[in-house]
Amino acid sequence: MKAAVIQFPGSNCDLDMLNALQLFGVEAQIVSHKATSLAGYDAIFLPGGFSFGDYLRCGAIARFSPIMTAVTTAAAAGKLIVGVCNGFQILTEAGLLPGQLMMNETPGFICAEVPITVINQQSQFTNQYQQATITLPVAHGEGRYYADEATIAQLEANHQVIFRYQTNVNGSAEQIAGIVNEKGNVLGMMPHPERAVEAIIGNIDGQDFFRSILN
Amino acid sequence: MYLGKVYVSYKPSVFDPQGDVIKTSLHQLNFQGVESVTQGKYFEIKLVATNLTEATANLVKMAEELLINPNTETYQYAIDEIEVL
Amino acid sequence: MYLGKVYVSYKPSVFDPQGDVIKTSLHQLNFQGVESVTQGKYFEIKLVATNLTEATANLVKMAEELLINPNTETYQYAIDEIEVL
Amino acid sequence: MTIIPEAMRNEPTPEEVRASQVYLQWSLSQDEYEMICQHLNRLPNYTETGLFAAMWSEHCSYKKSKPVLRKFWSQNERVVQGPGEGAGVLDIGDNQAVVFKAESHNHPSAVEPYQGAATGVGGIIRDIFSMGAQPIAILDSLRFGELHHNTTKHLLNGIVSGIADYGNSLGIPTVGGDVMFDATYQQNPIVNAMAVGLLNQADLHVGKAEGIGNRILYVGAKTGRDGIHGATFASSDFDSSTDQNRSAVQVGDPFLEKLLMDTTIKAIHIFGAAIVGVQDMGAAGLVSSSAEMAGKAGNGIHLNLNQVPQRETNLTPYELMLSESQERMLMVVQADHVAEVAQLFTDADLAAVDIGEVTADGRYRLDFDGVEVANIDVQYLITPPKQNQKQQVPARLTAEADPEFVPELTDVTATFKDLLAQSTIASKAEIFKHYDCSVRTDTVIKPGGDAALVRIKNTRKVLAMTTDVNGRYVYLNPQVGGQLAVAEAARNIVATGATPIGITDCLNFGDPDDPEIYYELAQSCAGINEMAQKLNTPIISGNVSLYNETDGQAIYPTPIIGMVGLLENIDHATTINFKNADDLIYLIGT
Ligand SMILES: Nc1ncnc2c1ncn2[C@@H]1O[C@H](COP(=O)(O)OP(=O)(O)O)[C@@H](O)[C@H]1O
């Protein structure tokens, strides 16, 4: 598998994502937000961080980066697109995923390891998970998932909710921590699987995420 | 030159945590009469255009393309011609 | 019931990094006429008071005690009586 | 100097400067002013007076604390770079080094908690990457008044979110720190930040303007009027009755700093020796960075101020030189590489402009609108007159000791619970949960243990880091209190399995002109020094924050110790939690 990790100005989990992918033997490369083509990549990762300082709204400015046209084309072509944290925010702003990520219910950044339920163990991103309960790191100030009721109902009906918080750390609608688009090839999630792939830093519950993508 | 002012606020159904925190603080500061607080954004944009109609059209486009997220936010605006210094 | 609107903006010489980034982004979206952008805050506060004078005095006090940071920000406001629903 | 540039028309003439004694407000004494007149053999103009006030301030020159700092032991086999540069550097083998330093932002944070703390983090991070190192961790050491006061809550919230927002946005994990609450800090909180970086020794750069004809490249954010007088502001007491100090507020832009950090490190990698020197524009911005770089190399410097990138209009030379706009750096670059280096920065949407050159004449010369607006001997500018601070044992230390306090314990459980509920003793998770501690995926021990542990990728090595001091101990016995601070830090390091290898400090004290305070400073540093030598942990960097007083009342002497340790084998890392039922518990020590 060949993967691109998009680097926006202000991305700061780009190298962490690159490392995690390389640990699983993926041929991964950093691609600038100014690039216009993603030809040749099988999977595209939008990493965490504070693209353009998260000024105005998280992801609002990044969605106009030149690379986003290529990301949209790749999504339409059925390639795997993964947005983690700020990447999730960018995907919603760009309209590639429904809803929006908003300021946490209690204002303030939270950094914690939280219990998560893998709701859908069939997705292209979770099919290697054997157990439903896992622990993943979160690190965000604007991670409250919001969508109108109709959208939420649709997400539930189509099994597009992939991860849920077991305790609602940020006030997300229906405790949603991660969703896919209707076709199932575009994923956005607030927790950081790339920070949970090595025992030495205390958590390996992200490993099955990468194994699923490779499967 | 024109000065556009854009006021962005959340749609009524969207929870505004900052507004909530501020309301609580105002109560603690003894402003008991406060019923609700919402916090939005306020932009001042100076722009050059050939006339007011064009300036207004541009301002509206900026608001809708970039400044707001139509899922959760609405906006009002005002625009005036100003002297160039 | 009264509806107060408070518009908070940075004092002129205070650096507004957000406004700067938004301006650049607007230029990239081909709004070439944009000369400057500043981003401030916009509050809507509903409050109960016996009359407009009291409501106004309260609003000003709230702004100065809590809503603005006098080191870096200034504000304008507007206030109106509204129907209680 | 006959033609006066437009922007300077409203400035006082040299004669008016003398008559109005405006320099006194900038903390330049009458004696110092007269020495300057004598040295120049003329009256300094407004700009020059400002340059001297800034460069001779305690904040920039350490003129009062230097006699104490000079005694610090800072040499052993590991030391690659001791005090005097952006940060200290210790060899950790494999051609790698650890770079670290602490810095205070007490005064700005007292006035403007959020921005004050945020820009404190920004400044210390620039000190690390200006050496060519990649910042890998931040620690914060905070002291507040009693928590039940509303002002304390306001300060705490602002300061913690300022640190969090800046560090989180940069993507550098905040992995440790310490917090205490005591009435002594009520008006004068302490905000010290420490940063740790990892350096490939080949990339080491220092702040020297070597090489006649080399160019001075300004990179980063544009200059505005923010923070003018920051350095002199940090070098005088607070007067709670006025708020004139407010002009010192600086606003940080972590987004820009992230770009500046990544690009500077990249530039150093690519251009190596063509980049001759790098320095952060910190306190007293452009004047301090450029004068120090020239001074250290024994050269002169010539700047054209019209070239300085400007955010506002009509900035005067005085304002340009003294502005403390954030996220700016100065580089000395070989003339034939300036364009390429600058390109790297402009590609990242950062300003990068050639603003002058290194000269052989040893002069500090500034041009503005074609007029020379300053011409001073560099060495004179960076060398304030020696100060002889008086010391006197504080009366409380010689007063007859109170009969020993014997606690009355009736309900041990209740007392134990009361102790745990003390804000100083209770868990600090409510604070550190706001800090991203795991970005960069190297944090082995996160906040909540003894010291933090950060591994070095592709090696077996781990770095341990902590900050500690108990100001109350130092108040009660400066020398022993200083020793105890180092000992506590060392215990925290050792508890993770690592060996302590070095120290940075941040000396937070009251007014040094008070002989009792100077005694506290000198004695506690003596204690720190003794213990540092015993533990083989050289003091390789540090920072001084004096005048921590409000209305004549000083804080407890609070010399914060930041310590770094090295663990060669990651498998030997030890964590704080009890592991298994039935394991035995030992109490070690005295
Ligand atoms: N301001 C802070 N920022 C980050 N971590 C902190 C802060 N204050 C305390 N901590 C962390 O909490 C833990 C306990 O700190 P402290 O109470 O100072 O320890 P000790 O038991 O050594 O006195 C340590 O891991 C420390 O790094």
Side-chain angles (χ1 to χ4, degrees):
Chain A
M1 169 177 278
K2 204 169 161 208
V5 178
I6 312 295
Q7 185 179 57
F8 296 94
S11 292
N12 66 27
C13 304
D14 43 343
L15 297 181
D16 297 351
M17 184 59 84
L18 189 77
N19 278 325
L21 288 164
Q22 286 170 349
L23 272 180
F24 287 89
V26 177
E27 190 191 329
Q29 276 161 355
I30 296 284
V31 174
S32 160
H33 76 117
K34 286 184 183 162
T36 49
S37 164
L38 285 164
Y41 293 104
D42 311 302
I44 292 134
F45 291 80
L46 282 68
F50 293 74
S51 56
F52 295 92
D54 270 0
Y55 295 147
L56 187 60
R57 290 184 309 279
C58 311
I61 295 177
R63 93 171 144 113
F64 292 112
S65 281
I67 196 68
M68 288 309 290
T69 313
V71 171
T72 306
T73 311
K79 290 188 184 168
L80 294 188
I81 317 279
V82 173
V84 169
C85 201
N86 194 231
F88 187 10
Q89 294 161 343
I90 296 170
L91 290 176
T92 58
E93 280 283 341
L96 291 172
L97 287 172
Q100 192 184 344
L101 280 312
M102 308 194 65
M103 178 180 286
N104 296 347
E105 192 171 34
T106 307
F109 192 98
I110 40 169
C111 177
E113 304 261 330
V114 299
I116 303 271
T117 309
V118 186
I119 298 296
N120 177 339
Q121 285 170 246
Q122 259 75 60
S123 83
Q124 303 193 57
F125 309 94
T126 50
N127 56 47
Q128 295 299 302
Y129 278 104
Q130 306 300 318
Q131 79 284 25
T133 291
I134 59 172
T135 299
L136 286 179
V138 293
H140 60 245
E142 314 215 3
R144 173 168 53 106
Y145 184 75
Y146 171 86
D148 58 36
E149 279 172 25
T151 308
I152 299 272
Q154 218 176 352
L155 288 175
E156 301 281 7
N158 296 339
H159 306 288
Q160 285 171 253
V161 176
I162 305 295
F163 298 109
R164 259 192 246 279
Y165 304 107
Q166 292 185 357
T167 45
N168 205 347
V169 285
N170 51 25
S172 289
E174 302 304 321
Q175 324 224 138
I176 288 172
I179 56 170
V180 288
N181 64 346
E182 257 184 86
K183 276 202 318 205
N185 66 318
V186 178
L187 169 91
M189 63 191 292
M190 288 312 294
H192 288 272
E194 81 282 7
R195 296 191 191 181
V197 291
E198 288 182 86
I200 189 66
I201 53 172
N203 188 338
I204 54 168
D205 285 0
Q207 290 184 347
D208 285 338
F209 176 80
F210 291 96
R211 289 196 190 105
S212 304
I213 290 172
L214 278 170
N215 185 29
Chain B
M1 180 101 85
Y2 296 86
L3 172 63
K5 297 179 176 181
V6 181
Y7 313 104
V8 176
S9 47
Y10 286 126
K11 290 181 180 169
S13 58
V14 176
F15 174 59
D16 169 20
Q18 295 193 85
D20 232 46
V21 169
I22 293 167
K23 186 174 89 177
T24 312
S25 314
L26 286 173
H27 287 166
Q28 278 164 4
L29 290 172
N30 263 318
F31 294 104
Q32 297 303 345
V34 173
E35 292 274 315
S36 76
V37 180
T38 64
Q39 174 170 345
K41 293 170 192 156
Y42 166 49
F43 299 93
E44 290 191 354
I45 300 181
K46 290 198 184 133
L47 68 163
V48 180
T50 45
N51 55 42
L52 185 64
T53 319
E54 185 193 301
T56 309
N58 273 334
L59 191 69
V60 167
K61 246 181 116 198
M62 286 181 220
E64 299 190 349
E65 279 185 28
L66 183 71
L67 300 182
I68 72 155
N69 181 326
N71 287 330
T72 51
E73 294 170 329
T74 57
Y75 72 102
Q76 298 163 276
Y77 70 90
I79 189 160
D80 270 315
E81 187 158 3
I82 53 168
E83 298 267 314
V84 192
L85 301 184
Chain C
M1 178 100 84
Y2 296 85
L3 173 62
K5 298 180 177 181
V6 181
Y7 314 105
V8 177
S9 47
Y10 282 127
K11 290 182 182 168
S13 69
V14 173
F15 178 40
D16 172 17
Q18 297 208 59
D20 245 38
V21 169
I22 295 167
K23 183 175 91 178
T24 312
S25 175
L26 286 171
H27 286 167
Q28 277 161 4
L29 290 173
N30 264 318
F31 294 105
Q32 297 303 344
V34 174
E35 293 273 316
S36 75
V37 179
T38 64
Q39 174 171 346
K41 293 172 193 157
Y42 166 49
F43 298 94
E44 289 190 354
I45 301 181
K46 290 197 184 134
L47 68 162
V48 180
T50 46
N51 55 41
L52 185 64
T53 319
E54 185 193 302
T56 309
N58 273 334
L59 191 70
V60 166
K61 249 182 113 199
M62 288 181 218
E64 298 191 349
E65 280 184 25
L66 186 72
L67 301 182
I68 72 155
N69 177 334
N71 292 328
T72 50
E73 296 171 331
T74 58
Y75 72 103
Q76 297 163 276
Y77 69 90
I79 188 159
D80 269 317
E81 187 158 4
I82 52 167
E83 298 268 317
V84 192
L85 302 184
Chain D
M1 300 184 196
T2 42
I3 333 148
I4 300 175
E6 182 68 35
M8 300 168 67
R9 298 259 157 92
N10 292 326
E11 267 178 9
T13 62
E15 290 72 25
E16 285 164 354
V17 168
R18 181 179 56 183
S20 66
Q21 297 185 311
V22 57
Y23 44 83
L24 295 179
Q25 288 165 34
W26 305 339
S27 299
L28 197 62
S29 72
Q30 188 62 32
D31 283 353
E32 288 171 333
Y33 176 75
E34 275 158 22
M35 284 177 62
I36 293 164
C37 297
Q38 216 168 23
H39 166 86
L40 294 176
N41 209 9
R42 60 177 167 85
L43 296 182
N45 64 28
Y46 186 77
T47 306
E48 290 170 329
T49 312
L51 301 183
F52 276 106
M55 292 308 295
W56 288 12
S57 70
E58 176 62 24
H59 202 67
C60 287
S61 72
Y62 295 102
K63 60 185 169 189
K64 294 182 177 168
S65 46
K66 217 169 222 162
V68 171
L69 300 180
R70 215 176 271 126
K71 293 189 185 140
F72 273 153
W73 171 70
S74 60
Q75 270 165 349
N76 75 0
E77 62 290 349
R78 280 194 195 277
V79 180
V80 176
Q81 174 66 57
E85 284 296 336
V89 181
L90 291 178
D91 187 356
I92 54 168
D94 307 323
N95 300 316
Q96 289 182 313
V98 59
V99 180
F100 56 95
K101 182 171 186 284
E103 189 157 281
S104 69
H105 243 212
N106 306 344
H107 289 75
S109 306
V111 178
E112 177 52 62
Y114 180 89
Q115 293 295 349
T119 53
V121 171
I124 191 66
I125 289 288
R126 286 193 297 283
D127 275 336
I128 301 300
F129 71 76
S130 68
M131 307 289 298
Q134 168 66 52
I136 59 168
I138 299 168
L139 297 93
D140 62 324
S141 186
L142 311 176
R143 300 291 180 274
F144 296 102
E146 300 290 358
L147 191 49
H148 57 81
H149 279 271
N150 275 335
T151 47
T152 305
K153 287 179 197 152
H154 168 73
L155 287 170
L156 180 80
N157 287 334
I159 286 166
V160 169
S161 23
I163 294 169
D165 285 357
Y166 206 101
N168 297 352
S169 190
L170 279 185
I172 309 302
T174 300
V175 298
D178 64 320
V179 189
M180 290 186 185
F181 300 86
D182 191 296
T184 188
Y185 306 109
Q186 199 65 53
Q187 310 278 341
N188 200 311
I190 289 190
V191 178
N192 289 178
M194 169 175 167
V196 181
L198 181 66
L199 177 77
N200 290 320
Q201 289 193 30
D203 287 337
L204 176 63
H205 276 68
V206 294
K208 270 192 189 154
E210 301 273 15
I212 311 305
N214 282 339
R215 306 303 305 178
I216 311 295
L217 186 67
Y218 169 118
V219 298
K222 293 178 182 163
T223 298
R225 290 193 172 82
D226 20 11
I228 291 169
H229 290 313
T232 50
F233 166 57
S235 303
S236 49
D237 296 0
F238 242 167
D239 179 350
S240 61
S241 65
T242 66
D243 55 14
Q244 63 176 38
N245 291 327
R246 287 183 169 172
S247 71
V249 173
Q250 310 141 16
V251 175
D253 182 356
F255 170 55
L256 205 149
E257 174 116 335
K258 165 82 172 139
L259 303 177
L260 184 62
M261 172 176 79
D262 292 349
T263 312
T264 302
I265 294 171
K266 189 165 146 194
I268 288 174
H269 275 308
I270 298 178
F271 293 100
I275 297 177
V276 176
V278 188
Q279 182 134 348
D280 161 39
M281 281 191 237
L286 194 46
V287 55
S288 152
S289 52
S290 58
E292 278 174 19
M293 286 176 95
K296 277 190 244 169
N299 286 326
I301 207 159
H302 183 193
L303 303 179
N304 177 358
L305 299 187
N306 295 90
Q307 295 301 316
V308 173
Q310 298 171 31
R311 205 180 70 225
E312 297 181 73
T313 49
N314 284 324
L315 289 168
T316 64
Y318 174 90
E319 291 171 326
L320 287 166
M321 296 313 294
L322 294 185
S323 159
E324 294 192 355
S325 291
Q326 299 291 297
E327 292 95 21
R328 303 178 302 162
M329 315 268 291
L330 217 50
M331 293 185 154
V332 179
V333 184
Q334 289 171 359
D336 49 352
H337 285 90
V338 177
E340 294 163 272
V341 176
Q343 186 66 42
L344 216 52
F345 286 89
T346 45
D347 283 349
D349 295 324
L350 297 162
V353 180
D354 179 340
I355 62 165
E357 67 178 341
V358 181
T359 59
D361 60 6
R363 306 294 296 176
Y364 193 80
R365 288 189 290 131
L366 304 176
D367 287 352
F368 182 72
D369 282 0
V371 176
E372 186 172 86
V373 294
N375 188 336
I376 310 168
D377 182 284
V378 169
Q379 296 302 327
Y380 189 73
L381 178 60
I382 63 167
T383 317
K386 279 216 172 60
Q387 302 264 335
N388 269 323
Q389 300 297 121
K390 290 201 190 66
Q391 288 189 39
Q392 185 185 319
V393 186
R396 65 174 188 274
L397 297 180
T398 48
E400 200 164 323
D402 285 342
E404 200 164 320
F405 173 69
V406 184
E408 249 176 65
L409 271 185
T410 47
D411 182 347
V412 182
T413 310
T415 305
F416 182 63
K417 284 185 178 166
D418 283 352
L419 279 174
L420 290 184
Q422 290 262 318
S423 46
T424 291
I425 295 175
S427 163
K428 306 304 182 302
E430 276 305 306
I431 292 174
F432 63 66
K433 74 175 184 191
H434 296 303
Y435 302 151
D436 189 341
C437 63
S438 56
V439 63
R440 295 185 59 82
T441 61
D442 289 324
T443 314
V444 176
I445 297 184
K446 298 179 179 134
D450 292 300
L453 275 191
V454 179
R455 66 138 172 212
I456 301 173
K457 280 200 180 85
N458 305 317
T459 74
R460 302 298 296 157
K461 287 181 292 196
V462 197
L463 293 168
M465 47 201 82
T466 182
T467 61
D468 294 285
V469 70
N470 188 330
R472 197 185 294 203
Y473 294 170
V474 185
Y475 178 76
L476 292 173
N477 186 330
Q479 192 189 2
V480 173
Q483 293 174 345
L484 288 177
V486 177
E488 181 185 357
R491 286 195 303 275
N492 278 323
I493 298 283
V494 168
T496 65
T499 306
I501 58 169
I503 290 176
T504 184
D505 63 73
C506 207
L507 307 174
N508 305 277
F509 288 81
D511 184 341
D513 295 332
D514 176 340
E516 296 195 349
I517 301 238
Y518 206 81
Y519 175 90
E520 291 173 346
L521 175 67
Q523 292 303 307
S524 61
C525 287
I528 290 168
N529 208 25
E530 285 157 21
M531 193 55 96
Q533 276 171 283
K534 285 221 170 74
L535 298 178
N536 195 21
T537 49
I539 302 155
I540 58 160
S541 61
N543 177 252
V544 180
S545 170
L546 303 177
Y547 305 96
N548 287 286
E549 327 206 320
T550 306
D551 304 330
Q553 189 58 44
I555 57 164
Y556 285 155
T558 313
I560 283 169
I561 298 299
M563 187 181 275
V564 169
L566 176 65
L567 172 60
E568 296 279 357
N569 183 349
I570 200 166
D571 296 335
H572 297 164
T574 37
T575 52
I576 192 169
N577 48 314
F578 287 146
K579 304 293 183 294
N580 305 300
D582 299 330
D583 282 353
L584 297 178
I585 300 166
Y586 289 85
L587 177 66
I588 306 172
T590 53

